mmCIF file of all heavy atoms in Angstrom:
data_model
loop_
_atom_site.group_PDB
_atom_site.id
_atom_site.type_symbol
_atom_site.label_atom_id
_atom_site.label_comp_id
_atom_site.label_asym_id
_atom_site.label_seq_id
_atom_site.Cartn_x
_atom_site.Cartn_y
_atom_site.Cartn_z
ATOM 1 N N HIS A 105 -5.527 3.212 -7.038
ATOM 2 C CA HIS A 105 -4.816 4.490 -6.978
ATOM 3 C C HIS A 105 -4.952 5.109 -5.584
ATOM 4 O O HIS A 105 -3.983 5.640 -5.036
ATOM 5 C CB HIS A 105 -5.370 5.434 -8.051
ATOM 6 C CG HIS A 105 -4.997 6.857 -7.867
ATOM 7 N ND1 HIS A 105 -3.706 7.326 -8.058
ATOM 8 C CD2 HIS A 105 -5.736 7.935 -7.508
ATOM 9 C CE1 HIS A 105 -3.677 8.624 -7.819
ATOM 10 N NE2 HIS A 105 -4.897 9.016 -7.485
ATOM 11 N N LEU A 106 -6.134 5.013 -4.987
ATOM 12 C CA LEU A 106 -6.363 5.567 -3.652
ATOM 13 C C LEU A 106 -5.476 4.875 -2.627
ATOM 14 O O LEU A 106 -4.882 5.533 -1.762
ATOM 15 C CB LEU A 106 -7.827 5.392 -3.245
ATOM 16 C CG LEU A 106 -8.882 5.912 -4.214
ATOM 17 C CD1 LEU A 106 -10.266 5.529 -3.731
ATOM 18 C CD2 LEU A 106 -8.745 7.400 -4.417
ATOM 19 N N LEU A 107 -5.385 3.562 -2.724
ATOM 20 C CA LEU A 107 -4.542 2.785 -1.824
ATOM 21 C C LEU A 107 -3.075 3.172 -1.988
ATOM 22 O O LEU A 107 -2.367 3.402 -1.009
ATOM 23 C CB LEU A 107 -4.732 1.292 -2.074
ATOM 24 C CG LEU A 107 -3.945 0.344 -1.186
ATOM 25 C CD1 LEU A 107 -4.339 0.507 0.273
ATOM 26 C CD2 LEU A 107 -4.159 -1.094 -1.641
ATOM 27 N N ARG A 108 -2.616 3.278 -3.236
ATOM 28 C CA ARG A 108 -1.212 3.642 -3.495
ATOM 29 C C ARG A 108 -0.866 5.008 -2.924
ATOM 30 O O ARG A 108 0.187 5.178 -2.309
ATOM 31 C CB ARG A 108 -0.923 3.603 -4.997
ATOM 32 C CG ARG A 108 -0.842 2.212 -5.574
ATOM 33 C CD ARG A 108 -0.319 2.213 -6.999
ATOM 34 N NE ARG A 108 -1.167 2.946 -7.921
ATOM 35 C CZ ARG A 108 -2.153 2.399 -8.623
ATOM 36 N NH1 ARG A 108 -2.425 1.106 -8.503
ATOM 37 N NH2 ARG A 108 -2.865 3.122 -9.447
ATOM 38 N N VAL A 109 -1.753 5.989 -3.094
ATOM 39 C CA VAL A 109 -1.473 7.342 -2.588
ATOM 40 C C VAL A 109 -1.405 7.336 -1.066
ATOM 41 O O VAL A 109 -0.463 7.880 -0.475
ATOM 42 C CB VAL A 109 -2.530 8.348 -3.100
ATOM 43 C CG1 VAL A 109 -2.396 9.693 -2.386
ATOM 44 C CG2 VAL A 109 -2.403 8.533 -4.602
ATOM 45 N N GLY A 110 -2.369 6.712 -0.426
ATOM 46 C CA GLY A 110 -2.353 6.660 1.040
ATOM 47 C C GLY A 110 -1.131 5.945 1.580
ATOM 48 O O GLY A 110 -0.488 6.416 2.519
ATOM 49 N N LEU A 111 -0.774 4.814 0.984
ATOM 50 C CA LEU A 111 0.394 4.060 1.450
ATOM 51 C C LEU A 111 1.699 4.776 1.143
ATOM 52 O O LEU A 111 2.651 4.696 1.927
ATOM 53 C CB LEU A 111 0.386 2.654 0.855
ATOM 54 C CG LEU A 111 -0.748 1.745 1.341
ATOM 55 C CD1 LEU A 111 -0.667 0.385 0.650
ATOM 56 C CD2 LEU A 111 -0.746 1.600 2.856
ATOM 57 N N LEU A 112 1.753 5.488 0.027
ATOM 58 C CA LEU A 112 2.944 6.279 -0.288
ATOM 59 C C LEU A 112 3.167 7.351 0.773
ATOM 60 O O LEU A 112 4.287 7.532 1.269
ATOM 61 C CB LEU A 112 2.806 6.921 -1.673
ATOM 62 C CG LEU A 112 3.936 7.865 -2.084
ATOM 63 C CD1 LEU A 112 5.237 7.105 -2.254
ATOM 64 C CD2 LEU A 112 3.569 8.588 -3.370
ATOM 65 N N LEU A 113 2.113 8.044 1.143
ATOM 66 C CA LEU A 113 2.228 9.059 2.191
ATOM 67 C C LEU A 113 2.623 8.428 3.526
ATOM 68 O O LEU A 113 3.510 8.922 4.223
ATOM 69 C CB LEU A 113 0.905 9.820 2.333
ATOM 70 C CG LEU A 113 0.531 10.709 1.158
ATOM 71 C CD1 LEU A 113 -0.918 11.171 1.289
ATOM 72 C CD2 LEU A 113 1.471 11.879 1.037
ATOM 73 N N GLN A 114 1.971 7.326 3.857
ATOM 74 C CA GLN A 114 2.273 6.631 5.106
ATOM 75 C C GLN A 114 3.737 6.187 5.146
ATOM 76 O O GLN A 114 4.435 6.426 6.134
ATOM 77 C CB GLN A 114 1.348 5.430 5.250
ATOM 78 C CG GLN A 114 1.555 4.644 6.530
ATOM 79 C CD GLN A 114 0.666 3.428 6.566
ATOM 80 O OE1 GLN A 114 0.848 2.513 5.758
ATOM 81 N NE2 GLN A 114 -0.293 3.420 7.475
ATOM 82 N N ASN A 115 4.199 5.554 4.086
ATOM 83 C CA ASN A 115 5.573 5.060 4.051
ATOM 84 C C ASN A 115 6.587 6.197 4.085
ATOM 85 O O ASN A 115 7.643 6.068 4.714
ATOM 86 C CB ASN A 115 5.801 4.182 2.819
ATOM 87 C CG ASN A 115 5.099 2.856 2.941
ATOM 88 O OD1 ASN A 115 4.867 2.350 4.026
ATOM 89 N ND2 ASN A 115 4.728 2.287 1.813
ATOM 90 N N THR A 116 6.264 7.303 3.443
ATOM 91 C CA THR A 116 7.164 8.457 3.462
ATOM 92 C C THR A 116 7.306 8.993 4.882
ATOM 93 O O THR A 116 8.428 9.281 5.342
ATOM 94 C CB THR A 116 6.656 9.558 2.514
ATOM 95 O OG1 THR A 116 6.617 9.029 1.186
ATOM 96 C CG2 THR A 116 7.548 10.785 2.548
ATOM 97 N N LEU A 117 6.206 9.113 5.587
ATOM 98 C CA LEU A 117 6.264 9.592 6.970
ATOM 99 C C LEU A 117 7.035 8.621 7.867
ATOM 100 O O LEU A 117 7.866 9.039 8.677
ATOM 101 C CB LEU A 117 4.852 9.800 7.521
ATOM 102 C CG LEU A 117 4.063 10.943 6.901
ATOM 103 C CD1 LEU A 117 2.627 10.920 7.397
ATOM 104 C CD2 LEU A 117 4.712 12.280 7.208
ATOM 105 N N ILE A 118 6.768 7.346 7.713
ATOM 106 C CA ILE A 118 7.457 6.337 8.536
ATOM 107 C C ILE A 118 8.947 6.326 8.227
ATOM 108 O O ILE A 118 9.779 6.356 9.141
ATOM 109 C CB ILE A 118 6.831 4.943 8.320
ATOM 110 C CG1 ILE A 118 5.427 4.895 8.934
ATOM 111 C CG2 ILE A 118 7.719 3.853 8.907
ATOM 112 C CD1 ILE A 118 4.620 3.660 8.559
ATOM 113 N N ASN A 119 9.306 6.288 6.958
ATOM 114 C CA ASN A 119 10.722 6.213 6.577
ATOM 115 C C ASN A 119 11.507 7.446 6.993
ATOM 116 O O ASN A 119 12.710 7.358 7.253
ATOM 117 C CB ASN A 119 10.861 5.991 5.070
ATOM 118 C CG ASN A 119 10.419 4.606 4.653
ATOM 119 O OD1 ASN A 119 10.405 3.667 5.451
ATOM 120 N ND2 ASN A 119 10.036 4.467 3.401
ATOM 121 N N ASN A 120 10.844 8.594 7.060
ATOM 122 C CA ASN A 120 11.519 9.821 7.446
ATOM 123 C C ASN A 120 11.304 10.177 8.910
ATOM 124 O O ASN A 120 11.714 11.259 9.351
ATOM 125 C CB ASN A 120 11.063 10.981 6.546
ATOM 126 C CG ASN A 120 11.579 10.798 5.147
ATOM 127 O OD1 ASN A 120 12.766 10.868 4.898
ATOM 128 N ND2 ASN A 120 10.674 10.525 4.214
ATOM 129 N N LYS A 121 10.657 9.270 9.636
ATOM 130 C CA LYS A 121 10.399 9.454 11.066
ATOM 131 C C LYS A 121 9.744 10.812 11.343
ATOM 132 O O LYS A 121 10.153 11.569 12.219
ATOM 133 C CB LYS A 121 11.683 9.284 11.872
ATOM 134 C CG LYS A 121 12.274 7.889 11.745
ATOM 135 C CD LYS A 121 13.574 7.770 12.494
ATOM 136 C CE LYS A 121 14.119 6.374 12.472
ATOM 137 N NZ LYS A 121 14.566 5.848 11.229
ATOM 138 N N GLU A 122 8.705 11.098 10.556
ATOM 139 C CA GLU A 122 7.977 12.367 10.661
ATOM 140 C C GLU A 122 6.608 12.151 11.296
ATOM 141 O O GLU A 122 5.927 11.189 10.997
ATOM 142 C CB GLU A 122 7.771 12.978 9.266
ATOM 143 C CG GLU A 122 9.035 13.405 8.584
ATOM 144 C CD GLU A 122 9.620 14.685 9.150
ATOM 145 O OE1 GLU A 122 8.876 15.469 9.766
ATOM 146 O OE2 GLU A 122 10.828 14.880 8.975
ATOM 147 N N GLY A 123 6.201 13.060 12.133
ATOM 148 C CA GLY A 123 4.854 13.083 12.679
ATOM 149 C C GLY A 123 4.589 12.064 13.763
ATOM 150 O O GLY A 123 5.333 11.111 13.964
ATOM 151 N N SER A 124 3.503 12.296 14.447
ATOM 152 C CA SER A 124 3.041 11.399 15.506
ATOM 153 C C SER A 124 2.211 10.275 14.907
ATOM 154 O O SER A 124 1.902 10.271 13.704
ATOM 155 C CB SER A 124 2.183 12.189 16.495
ATOM 156 O OG SER A 124 0.977 12.606 15.859
ATOM 157 N N LYS A 125 1.810 9.344 15.743
ATOM 158 C CA LYS A 125 0.937 8.261 15.296
ATOM 159 C C LYS A 125 -0.385 8.832 14.764
ATOM 160 O O LYS A 125 -0.903 8.374 13.753
ATOM 161 C CB LYS A 125 0.682 7.290 16.450
ATOM 162 C CG LYS A 125 -0.152 6.095 16.083
ATOM 163 C CD LYS A 125 -0.305 5.134 17.250
ATOM 164 C CE LYS A 125 -1.169 3.956 16.836
ATOM 165 N NZ LYS A 125 -1.370 3.008 17.930
ATOM 166 N N LYS A 126 -0.910 9.855 15.437
ATOM 167 C CA LYS A 126 -2.149 10.494 15.002
ATOM 168 C C LYS A 126 -1.948 11.202 13.661
ATOM 169 O O LYS A 126 -2.804 11.121 12.778
ATOM 170 C CB LYS A 126 -2.630 11.490 16.065
ATOM 171 C CG LYS A 126 -3.963 12.107 15.764
ATOM 172 C CD LYS A 126 -5.069 11.084 15.832
ATOM 173 C CE LYS A 126 -6.419 11.745 15.638
ATOM 174 N NZ LYS A 126 -7.487 10.778 15.475
ATOM 175 N N ASP A 127 -0.812 11.896 13.484
ATOM 176 C CA ASP A 127 -0.505 12.541 12.202
ATOM 177 C C ASP A 127 -0.475 11.508 11.080
ATOM 178 O O ASP A 127 -1.000 11.746 9.992
ATOM 179 C CB ASP A 127 0.859 13.246 12.237
ATOM 180 C CG ASP A 127 0.909 14.422 13.174
ATOM 181 O OD1 ASP A 127 -0.145 15.028 13.453
ATOM 182 O OD2 ASP A 127 2.031 14.747 13.636
ATOM 183 N N LEU A 128 0.137 10.380 11.351
ATOM 184 C CA LEU A 128 0.246 9.307 10.364
ATOM 185 C C LEU A 128 -1.143 8.829 9.944
ATOM 186 O O LEU A 128 -1.420 8.651 8.751
ATOM 187 C CB LEU A 128 1.071 8.159 10.945
ATOM 188 C CG LEU A 128 1.357 6.978 10.045
ATOM 189 C CD1 LEU A 128 2.272 7.381 8.900
ATOM 190 C CD2 LEU A 128 1.998 5.858 10.845
ATOM 191 N N GLU A 129 -2.015 8.656 10.912
ATOM 192 C CA GLU A 129 -3.377 8.213 10.626
ATOM 193 C C GLU A 129 -4.130 9.265 9.799
ATOM 194 O O GLU A 129 -4.771 8.937 8.793
ATOM 195 C CB GLU A 129 -4.118 7.953 11.933
ATOM 196 C CG GLU A 129 -5.550 7.507 11.749
ATOM 197 C CD GLU A 129 -6.231 7.285 13.084
ATOM 198 O OE1 GLU A 129 -5.909 6.292 13.755
ATOM 199 O OE2 GLU A 129 -7.073 8.123 13.448
ATOM 200 N N ILE A 130 -4.052 10.517 10.200
ATOM 201 C CA ILE A 130 -4.763 11.605 9.511
ATOM 202 C C ILE A 130 -4.296 11.721 8.064
ATOM 203 O O ILE A 130 -5.107 11.783 7.133
ATOM 204 C CB ILE A 130 -4.566 12.936 10.263
ATOM 205 C CG1 ILE A 130 -5.347 12.910 11.574
ATOM 206 C CG2 ILE A 130 -4.955 14.136 9.401
ATOM 207 C CD1 ILE A 130 -5.004 14.040 12.521
ATOM 208 N N ILE A 131 -3.002 11.735 7.858
ATOM 209 C CA ILE A 131 -2.460 11.933 6.511
ATOM 210 C C ILE A 131 -2.721 10.719 5.621
ATOM 211 O O ILE A 131 -3.033 10.861 4.441
ATOM 212 C CB ILE A 131 -0.968 12.310 6.588
ATOM 213 C CG1 ILE A 131 -0.863 13.707 7.218
ATOM 214 C CG2 ILE A 131 -0.306 12.266 5.220
ATOM 215 C CD1 ILE A 131 0.525 14.131 7.603
ATOM 216 N N THR A 132 -2.625 9.530 6.178
ATOM 217 C CA THR A 132 -2.911 8.323 5.401
ATOM 218 C C THR A 132 -4.376 8.300 4.969
ATOM 219 O O THR A 132 -4.689 8.034 3.800
ATOM 220 C CB THR A 132 -2.552 7.057 6.194
ATOM 221 O OG1 THR A 132 -1.177 7.114 6.578
ATOM 222 C CG2 THR A 132 -2.803 5.802 5.375
ATOM 223 N N LEU A 133 -5.286 8.590 5.900
ATOM 224 C CA LEU A 133 -6.711 8.625 5.559
ATOM 225 C C LEU A 133 -7.003 9.690 4.502
ATOM 226 O O LEU A 133 -7.772 9.453 3.568
ATOM 227 C CB LEU A 133 -7.558 8.875 6.811
ATOM 228 C CG LEU A 133 -7.688 7.697 7.763
ATOM 229 C CD1 LEU A 133 -8.278 8.143 9.093
ATOM 230 C CD2 LEU A 133 -8.517 6.583 7.144
ATOM 231 N N ALA A 134 -6.374 10.854 4.639
ATOM 232 C CA ALA A 134 -6.569 11.911 3.638
ATOM 233 C C ALA A 134 -6.047 11.460 2.279
ATOM 234 O O ALA A 134 -6.650 11.777 1.243
ATOM 235 C CB ALA A 134 -5.885 13.194 4.087
ATOM 236 N N GLY A 135 -4.953 10.712 2.271
ATOM 237 C CA GLY A 135 -4.443 10.167 1.012
ATOM 238 C C GLY A 135 -5.423 9.197 0.386
ATOM 239 O O GLY A 135 -5.678 9.241 -0.821
ATOM 240 N N PHE A 136 -6.006 8.328 1.200
ATOM 241 C CA PHE A 136 -7.006 7.389 0.687
ATOM 242 C C PHE A 136 -8.204 8.148 0.102
ATOM 243 O O PHE A 136 -8.794 7.727 -0.889
ATOM 244 C CB PHE A 136 -7.522 6.462 1.790
ATOM 245 C CG PHE A 136 -6.544 5.463 2.321
ATOM 246 C CD1 PHE A 136 -6.691 4.968 3.612
ATOM 247 C CD2 PHE A 136 -5.485 4.989 1.559
ATOM 248 C CE1 PHE A 136 -5.820 4.022 4.121
ATOM 249 C CE2 PHE A 136 -4.595 4.043 2.068
ATOM 250 C CZ PHE A 136 -4.770 3.562 3.360
ATOM 251 N N GLY A 137 -8.559 9.258 0.721
ATOM 252 C CA GLY A 137 -9.765 9.985 0.322
ATOM 253 C C GLY A 137 -9.544 11.183 -0.561
ATOM 254 O O GLY A 137 -10.479 11.934 -0.836
ATOM 255 N N HIS A 138 -8.325 11.352 -1.072
ATOM 256 C CA HIS A 138 -7.982 12.606 -1.748
ATOM 257 C C HIS A 138 -8.850 12.945 -2.957
ATOM 258 O O HIS A 138 -8.988 14.112 -3.293
ATOM 259 C CB HIS A 138 -6.493 12.610 -2.146
ATOM 260 C CG HIS A 138 -6.166 11.753 -3.320
ATOM 261 N ND1 HIS A 138 -5.971 10.389 -3.208
ATOM 262 C CD2 HIS A 138 -6.019 12.058 -4.626
ATOM 263 C CE1 HIS A 138 -5.704 9.902 -4.405
ATOM 264 N NE2 HIS A 138 -5.725 10.882 -5.284
ATOM 265 N N ASP A 139 -9.467 11.988 -3.605
ATOM 266 C CA ASP A 139 -10.321 12.260 -4.761
ATOM 267 C C ASP A 139 -11.806 12.156 -4.449
ATOM 268 O O ASP A 139 -12.641 12.297 -5.343
ATOM 269 C CB ASP A 139 -9.996 11.293 -5.906
ATOM 270 C CG ASP A 139 -8.762 11.697 -6.683
ATOM 271 O OD1 ASP A 139 -8.440 12.906 -6.707
ATOM 272 O OD2 ASP A 139 -8.131 10.816 -7.288
ATOM 273 N N SER A 140 -12.156 11.932 -3.201
ATOM 274 C CA SER A 140 -13.552 11.643 -2.880
ATOM 275 C C SER A 140 -14.487 12.821 -3.126
ATOM 276 O O SER A 140 -15.587 12.632 -3.658
ATOM 277 C CB SER A 140 -13.689 11.134 -1.447
ATOM 278 O OG SER A 140 -13.216 12.093 -0.526
ATOM 279 N N LEU A 141 -14.097 14.025 -2.758
ATOM 280 C CA LEU A 141 -14.969 15.180 -2.984
ATOM 281 C C LEU A 141 -15.039 15.549 -4.458
ATOM 282 O O LEU A 141 -16.051 16.056 -4.923
ATOM 283 C CB LEU A 141 -14.496 16.387 -2.165
ATOM 284 C CG LEU A 141 -14.632 16.255 -0.657
ATOM 285 C CD1 LEU A 141 -13.984 17.440 0.047
ATOM 286 C CD2 LEU A 141 -16.084 16.110 -0.240
ATOM 287 N N GLU A 142 -13.969 15.276 -5.157
ATOM 288 C CA GLU A 142 -13.875 15.639 -6.571
ATOM 289 C C GLU A 142 -14.603 14.644 -7.482
ATOM 290 O O GLU A 142 -15.203 15.043 -8.478
ATOM 291 C CB GLU A 142 -12.400 15.692 -6.947
ATOM 292 C CG GLU A 142 -12.080 16.295 -8.266
ATOM 293 C CD GLU A 142 -10.581 16.516 -8.427
ATOM 294 O OE1 GLU A 142 -9.902 16.897 -7.460
ATOM 295 O OE2 GLU A 142 -10.096 16.274 -9.540
ATOM 296 N N ASP A 143 -14.541 13.370 -7.131
ATOM 297 C CA ASP A 143 -14.999 12.333 -8.060
ATOM 298 C C ASP A 143 -16.181 11.497 -7.585
ATOM 299 O O ASP A 143 -16.545 10.524 -8.243
ATOM 300 C CB ASP A 143 -13.840 11.386 -8.379
ATOM 301 C CG ASP A 143 -12.710 12.066 -9.128
ATOM 302 O OD1 ASP A 143 -12.946 13.112 -9.757
ATOM 303 O OD2 ASP A 143 -11.581 11.553 -9.090
ATOM 304 N N THR A 144 -16.751 11.836 -6.433
ATOM 305 C CA THR A 144 -17.918 11.096 -5.940
ATOM 306 C C THR A 144 -18.951 12.105 -5.434
ATOM 307 O O THR A 144 -18.711 13.311 -5.441
ATOM 308 C CB THR A 144 -17.558 10.118 -4.797
ATOM 309 O OG1 THR A 144 -17.364 10.836 -3.587
ATOM 310 C CG2 THR A 144 -16.337 9.279 -5.138
ATOM 311 N N ASN A 145 -20.069 11.597 -4.976
ATOM 312 C CA ASN A 145 -21.142 12.460 -4.468
ATOM 313 C C ASN A 145 -21.051 12.713 -2.968
ATOM 314 O O ASN A 145 -21.930 13.353 -2.401
ATOM 315 C CB ASN A 145 -22.508 11.847 -4.790
ATOM 316 C CG ASN A 145 -22.786 11.854 -6.276
ATOM 317 O OD1 ASN A 145 -22.385 12.775 -6.987
ATOM 318 N ND2 ASN A 145 -23.462 10.828 -6.759
ATOM 319 N N VAL A 146 -20.012 12.227 -2.316
ATOM 320 C CA VAL A 146 -19.893 12.415 -0.875
ATOM 321 C C VAL A 146 -19.706 13.903 -0.569
ATOM 322 O O VAL A 146 -19.084 14.639 -1.337
ATOM 323 C CB VAL A 146 -18.743 11.561 -0.277
ATOM 324 C CG1 VAL A 146 -17.370 12.131 -0.618
ATOM 325 C CG2 VAL A 146 -18.903 11.407 1.223
ATOM 326 N N LYS A 147 -20.263 14.336 0.525
ATOM 327 C CA LYS A 147 -20.168 15.736 0.956
ATOM 328 C C LYS A 147 -19.148 15.860 2.087
ATOM 329 O O LYS A 147 -18.920 14.913 2.844
ATOM 330 C CB LYS A 147 -21.529 16.248 1.443
ATOM 331 C CG LYS A 147 -22.630 16.138 0.415
ATOM 332 C CD LYS A 147 -22.375 17.056 -0.756
ATOM 333 C CE LYS A 147 -23.505 16.989 -1.758
ATOM 334 N NZ LYS A 147 -23.093 17.225 -3.106
#
């Protein structure tokens, strides 16, 4: 699920030609990690 969310965000940005390369990286990583604070012990 984490992979799907991150790749969905990445593909949406690429297909719509939105954001910089750095924006793409930030948003994709956030998509991969979107449940980490909620569902794990990471701080």
Side-chain angles (χ1 to χ4, degrees):
H105 165 71
L106 307 174
L107 182 62
R108 287 190 298 269
V109 170
L111 293 179
L112 175 66
L113 292 168
Q114 181 183 66
N115 288 333
T116 299
L117 292 172
I118 290 169
N119 290 337
N120 291 293
K121 298 177 175 67
E122 294 285 338
S124 67
K125 183 177 179 181
K126 185 67 175 170
D127 294 335
L128 183 67
E129 179 181 288
I130 289 168
I131 292 169
T132 303
L133 286 168
F136 291 154
H138 75 278
D139 280 334
S140 60
L141 292 173
E142 191 170 322
D143 295 338
T144 76
N145 292 325
V146 74
K147 303 293 182 211

